[in-house]
């Protein structure tokens, strides 16, 4: 899979909004180390030196050695930055942009530097942490809790289709681990993702990372809360735990892999994608919808008759606290445009609703699907330190529906 093959990639320079979002993502990975050092250790050193001298001396000495802890955190951030800069560099190469930082921008060479917003910088940090879940050996339990029910449902369906290879769509593909696992299982799989942070990171790990265990990641280093001891705080993992290209190349009959960089609603709700997939697998995705009916309509559109809709996830509605219409990629929406039903904005369309799990399942049936399997209460952590004193565990819903 190549970043240059992302469907919708050609719009990145032509559309000013797309360009801004892409450049913000690139800049945020480039700035990761500077921002993380400032927010994580620099400010803490200032606060530490503001303590009463007697207290400072206690905490500076063993067994606390707080300044040594801050130095160790700085070292961990530098290791994380190696991964962040590798993503940044691969992104520049993929989009044909020069690496040199002293090049003067021209009409034909727009500068990506300084484009990251506060939100972009936070997304870069959270994307790095997500590698723990999707591409470390330690994240296997998290992955299996959510991906195995999907894989089982699709394998059972494949077995009933007399060897005809199924084509599967994974919306909200993130770092593409589920896409990769499905391809390894023999499914032709297309991932879709709107976030350039996720797209740049997944493209790096799939296409550019030279070996397994190429990077050391410290997933819990940015927060000082709820650690049982410093060893837990400074725990590292090796990513990726496998080399994707090597593993895929060793499989006798893998599926084909592709990714699309686009708004899910605009791409898969169109006539060109009507009835093109045998299955759609949504994992921790449905609750990213401002209006879930739009999501289900797009899924129904791109599924062939009798196709499967497989879901695993909670309902942490992402836009619950947003003002109406303020969805998507933080674009400056034109009220005249958003009110025009003939000019759909995809996820940025106005209107939002939050349903219960019971209501979602009822809606799925009402919109043209038969629920064939339903399970509730799957224990599903999400980028969770198993040693933390605070455990956030979802009780996920899982169901399999068939298009009527």
């Amino acid at each position: 899979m190549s970043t240059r093959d992302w469907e919708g990639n050609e719009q990145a320079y032509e559309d000013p909004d797309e360009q801004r979002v892409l450049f913000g993502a690139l800049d945020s990975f480039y700035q990761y180390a500077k921002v993380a050092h400032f927010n994580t250790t620099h400010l803490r050193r200032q606060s530490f030196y503001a303590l009463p001298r007697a207290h400072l001396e206690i905490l500076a000495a063993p067994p606390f050695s707080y300044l040594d802890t801050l130095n160790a955190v700085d070292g961990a951030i530098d290791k994380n930055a190696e991964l962040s800069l590798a993503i940044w560099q691969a992104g520049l190469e993929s989009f044909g942009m020069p690496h040199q930082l002293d090049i003067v921008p021209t009409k034909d060479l727009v500068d990506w530097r300084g484009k990251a917003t506060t939100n972009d910088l936070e997304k870069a940090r959270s994307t790095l942490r997500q590698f723990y879940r999707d591409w470390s050996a330690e994240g296997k339990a998290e992955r299996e809790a959510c991906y195995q029910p999907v894989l089982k449902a699709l394998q059972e369906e494949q077995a009933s289709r007399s060897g005809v290879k199924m084509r599967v769509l994974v919306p909200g593909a993130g770092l593409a681990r589920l896409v990769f696992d499905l391809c390894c299982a023999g499914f032709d799989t297309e991932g879709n993702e709107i976030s350039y942070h996720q797209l740049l990171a997944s493209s790096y790990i799939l296409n550019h990372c030279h070996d397994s265990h190429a990077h050391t990641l410290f997933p819990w280093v940015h927060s000082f809360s709820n650690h049982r001891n410093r060893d837990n705080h400074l725990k590292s993992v090796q990513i990726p735990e496998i080399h994707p290209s090597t593993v895929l190349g060793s499989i006798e009959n893998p599926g084909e892999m592709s990714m699309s960089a686009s708004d899910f609603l605009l791409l898969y709700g169109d006539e060109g994608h009507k009835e093109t997939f045998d299955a759609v697998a949504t994992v921790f995705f449905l609750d990213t919808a401002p209006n879930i009916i739009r999501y289900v309509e797009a899924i129904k559109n791109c599924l062939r008759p009798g196709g499967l809709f497989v879901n695993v996830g909670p309902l942490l509605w992402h836009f619950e606290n947003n003002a109406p219409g303020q969805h998507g990629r933080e674009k400056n929406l034109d009220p005249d445009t958003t009110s025009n039903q003939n000019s759909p904005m995809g996820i940025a369309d106005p209107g939002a609703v939050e349903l219960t799990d019971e209501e979602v399942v009822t809606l799925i049936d009402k919109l043209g699907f038969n629920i064939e399997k339903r399970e509730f209460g799957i224990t599903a952590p999400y980028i969770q330190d198993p040693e933390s004193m605070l455990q956030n565990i979802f009780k996920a819903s899982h169901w399999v529906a068939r298009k009527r």
Side-chain angles (χ1 to χ4, degrees):
M1 184 194 76
S2 169
T3 309
R4 290 189 180 276
D5 294 332
W6 289 346
E7 188 170 346
N9 179 31
E10 68 278 357
Q11 298 176 1
Y13 291 110
E14 298 172 2
D15 185 330
D17 287 316
E18 289 292 318
Q19 186 182 93
R20 177 182 56 80
V21 176
L22 170 61
F23 286 4
L26 287 167
D27 187 38
S28 66
F29 283 118
Y30 177 71
Q31 290 197 56
Y32 161 77
K34 180 182 71 173
V35 173
H37 281 307
F38 179 82
N39 290 333
T40 312
T41 57
H42 176 74
L43 294 179
R44 282 186 170 84
R45 283 190 178 90
Q46 289 184 330
S47 297
F48 180 76
Y49 284 117
L51 291 171
R53 184 169 185 81
H55 299 175
L56 184 153
E57 290 176 349
I58 291 172
L59 295 174
F64 307 102
S65 303
Y66 191 72
L67 291 174
D68 289 344
T69 293
L70 295 182
N71 290 337
V73 169
D74 277 329
I77 289 171
D78 286 339
K79 294 301 291 185
N80 287 355
E82 293 178 11
L83 172 59
S84 187
L85 288 175
I87 295 169
W88 163 76
Q89 183 173 349
L92 292 181
E93 292 176 358
S94 297
F95 285 92
M97 287 183 268
H99 293 199
Q100 295 89 336
L101 298 176
D102 57 353
I103 290 180
V104 178
T106 66
K107 180 180 179 181
D108 297 323
L109 180 63
V110 184
D111 197 353
W112 53 265
R113 293 171 291 186
K115 299 299 191 296
T117 64
T118 301
N119 191 40
D120 287 324
L121 296 166
E122 175 55 33
K123 285 181 180 179
R125 188 175 76 167
S126 65
T127 299
L128 293 179
R129 290 178 65 244
Q130 193 171 330
F131 277 100
Y132 166 84
R133 174 181 173 86
D134 275 355
W135 292 101
S136 78
E138 291 79 358
K140 181 179 180 180
E142 283 196 14
R143 294 194 299 273
E144 288 191 340
C146 299
Y147 298 166
Q148 282 302 309
V150 171
L151 184 59
K152 180 181 178 182
L154 294 177
Q155 287 176 326
E156 290 175 352
E157 178 70 8
Q158 180 69 79
S160 70
R161 293 193 174 214
S162 304
V164 178
K165 185 175 289 190
M166 292 172 58
R167 188 169 184 233
V168 182
L169 172 65
V170 180
L175 297 188
R177 183 55 187 261
L178 179 57
V179 173
F180 173 81
D181 286 348
L182 291 177
C183 287
C184 289
F187 297 98
D188 290 341
T189 310
E190 181 170 317
N192 167 252
E193 180 57 56
I194 194 173
S195 165
Y196 275 117
H197 288 83
Q198 302 283 316
L199 288 162
L200 292 168
S202 63
S203 177
Y204 170 72
I205 213 70
L206 291 172
N207 301 317
H208 301 275
C209 189
H210 58 82
D211 202 357
S212 63
H213 300 169
H215 296 280
T216 300
L217 177 72
F218 292 80
W220 322 124
V221 75
H222 302 106
S223 172
F224 277 61
S225 297
N226 288 310
H227 297 295
R228 292 180 58 231
N229 52 56
R230 287 300 169 205
D231 285 342
N232 293 144
H233 182 198
L234 293 167
K235 182 178 180 179
S236 65
V237 298
Q238 303 298 306
I239 63 99
E241 94 281 15
I242 57 171
H243 185 234
S245 296
T246 300
V247 170
L248 206 57
S250 68
I251 295 173
E252 184 175 344
N253 189 26
E256 294 183 2
M257 184 189 307
S258 61
M259 286 285 285
S260 66
S262 59
D263 185 308
F264 167 71
L265 293 177
L266 293 180
L267 182 59
Y268 297 98
D270 69 8
E271 189 66 23
H273 284 82
K274 188 175 180 64
E275 299 181 358
T276 54
F277 291 94
D278 299 295
V280 175
T282 55
V283 176
F284 278 66
F285 175 71
L286 293 184
D287 54 7
T288 67
N291 177 1
I292 190 173
I293 294 178
R294 291 290 312 278
Y295 270 26
V296 178
E297 288 175 340
I299 290 169
K300 183 179 179 182
N301 177 72
C302 68
L303 270 178
R304 297 183 176 115
L308 281 195
F309 181 3
V310 185
N311 177 71
V312 175
L315 292 175
L316 181 64
W317 296 106
H318 285 39
F319 297 107
E320 181 171 358
N321 297 314
N322 285 46
Q326 299 304 303
H327 312 305
R329 292 180 165 181
E330 303 173 325
K331 293 184 179 182
N332 296 319
L333 303 179
D334 182 346
D336 293 332
T337 300
T338 57
S339 63
N340 184 353
Q341 296 301 313
N342 294 322
S343 301
M345 298 291 291
I347 196 174
D349 277 346
V353 65
E354 299 87 27
L355 302 181
T356 67
D357 184 60
E358 289 282 350
E359 290 169 337
V360 168
V361 173
T362 300
L363 181 67
I364 297 301
D365 176 78
K366 190 174 184 65
L367 293 178
F369 292 85
N370 292 327
I371 302 294
E372 296 188 344
K373 177 182 178 180
R374 187 181 178 194
E375 180 181 355
F376 182 78
I378 295 176
T379 300
Y382 194 87
I383 317 181
Q384 174 69 57
D385 176 6
E387 301 298 326
S388 173
M389 298 169 68
L390 174 65
Q391 295 292 316
N392 291 314
I393 307 294
F394 291 106
K395 295 293 185 180
S397 177
H398 167 48
W399 39 262
V400 178
R402 188 177 301 276
K403 178 180 173 180
R404 290 197 288 268

